[in-house]
Amino acid sequence: MSRLALTEARFQANVLAGEPAIGDEIEGPDAAFRDRRLGIYRNAYRLRLAEVLGNDYGILRAYLGEEAFGRLANEYLAVHPSTFRNVRWFGGALAPFLTSAPRYAAHPELAELARFEWAMGEAFDAPDEAAATFEQVAAVPPPAWGGLRFAAHPSLRLLEMRTNAVAIWKALGDEGGQPPQAERLAQPLAWGIWRREYSPFFRSLAADEAWAAAAMAAGTSFGELCAGLCGWVRQEDAPARAAGLLRGWISEGWIAGLSVA
């Protein structure tokens, strides 16, 4: 390792973990003075990452309050030091962290708020891709419909929530008001999140649509969707229900491509 590379590695180790090896290479009258100089960089590193986390999770930060969110950011950073060249992805493991850390696991709405906010950000940042049109669907010959498959738009995200985290998000975000008391839902509720033009959107999904949307995104054919929907509607009504869901997905831009086996 070259001298420069060794110095850089020691400096990084000090910033990330407080390793003292770089101290002898810092000018100053004594060890305490040198450590204070290095501390400027250690603190700036953590403050910058905490700021990034707060920007990515603005509603969660508002829900917890600045002090509690600052503590969360420090705890998350201790377990998940940044390994990304693009700091945009630093906060990607926050929801799993909130699920597993004992301090936060007792409040499942926190992890679900984080999941929802991260999915909204992913939808916004997803690659641009043209959505399928009604004309493309109409051009599929009737005999081919059974084998028709769909490619979900890159922005589409499907989440299942077990708390009223979305109601909390809406109260603090869209409405700027007092959030409701956190509570567990009697039944899980699915949500679809996607981007239309330059804005992310979301809506709740009925149980059959939640299943069908996940199946569509996994490459299930239209014929298989019809068969699967028989778990909710009569067999003779399944094609009409599947066609109605497809019409809505096309209208909302959930589908990016069509293919026929």
Side-chain angles (χ1 to χ4, degrees):
M1 183 181 291
S2 70
R3 179 63 182 172
L4 176 60
L6 179 60
T7 299
E8 290 174 337
R10 287 175 173 173
F11 179 74
Q12 183 183 56
N14 183 272
V15 169
L16 296 180
E19 295 291 337
I22 189 65
D24 292 340
E25 300 186 43
I26 305 300
E27 292 187 1
D30 52 46
F33 177 85
R34 292 191 290 271
D35 188 63
R36 285 197 300 272
R37 296 187 72 180
L38 287 166
I40 295 172
Y41 295 95
R42 289 196 300 270
N43 292 336
Y45 169 75
R46 284 160 176 77
L47 288 171
R48 175 61 182 133
L49 288 179
E51 179 185 4
V52 168
L53 209 62
N55 290 336
D56 287 340
Y57 296 99
I59 300 300
L60 179 61
R61 181 181 65 188
Y63 183 67
L64 284 173
E66 293 296 336
E67 182 177 348
F69 188 85
R71 181 170 60 247
L72 166 61
N74 287 330
E75 293 171 357
Y76 177 75
L77 178 56
V79 178
H80 295 281
S82 180
T83 59
F84 301 96
R85 292 183 181 275
N86 186 344
V87 76
R88 165 67 181 89
W89 308 115
F90 165 62
L94 185 62
F97 173 77
L98 289 166
T99 300
S100 61
R103 181 197 296 272
Y104 306 105
H107 304 279
E109 78 278 4
L110 299 179
E112 293 204 338
L113 269 174
R115 285 178 61 214
F116 188 79
E117 287 202 82
W118 190 258
M120 292 282 280
E122 284 187 319
F124 181 80
D125 289 337
D128 291 327
E129 190 165 340
T133 65
F134 289 110
E135 290 76 15
Q136 289 173 304
V137 176
V140 177
W145 269 80
L148 181 62
R149 299 180 189 274
F150 313 94
H153 193 274
S155 70
L156 179 63
R157 300 292 184 273
L158 301 170
L159 301 181
E160 183 180 83
M161 296 294 199
R162 297 178 180 273
T163 74
N164 63 335
V166 176
I168 294 171
W169 187 94
K170 290 174 67 177
L172 289 170
D174 294 349
E175 301 164 11
Q178 183 68 24
Q181 187 74 22
E183 60 181 27
R184 294 177 184 265
L185 302 178
Q187 295 292 333
L189 182 60
W191 293 84
I193 299 172
W194 73 102
R195 187 187 70 233
R196 184 187 301 153
E197 295 182 350
Y198 302 108
S199 299
F201 291 81
F202 62 93
R203 66 173 176 87
S204 61
L205 311 178
D208 62 339
E209 184 176 15
W211 173 84
M216 175 274 291
T220 298
S221 70
F222 185 80
E224 292 166 331
L225 287 178
C226 293
L229 286 169
C230 291
W232 288 272
V233 299
R234 295 180 304 174
Q235 183 175 358
E236 58 267 30
D237 295 331
R241 176 58 173 159
L245 293 175
L246 177 59
R247 187 180 304 111
W249 298 341
I250 294 290
S251 176
E252 290 168 331
W254 286 23
I255 294 175
L258 312 172
S259 64
V260 179

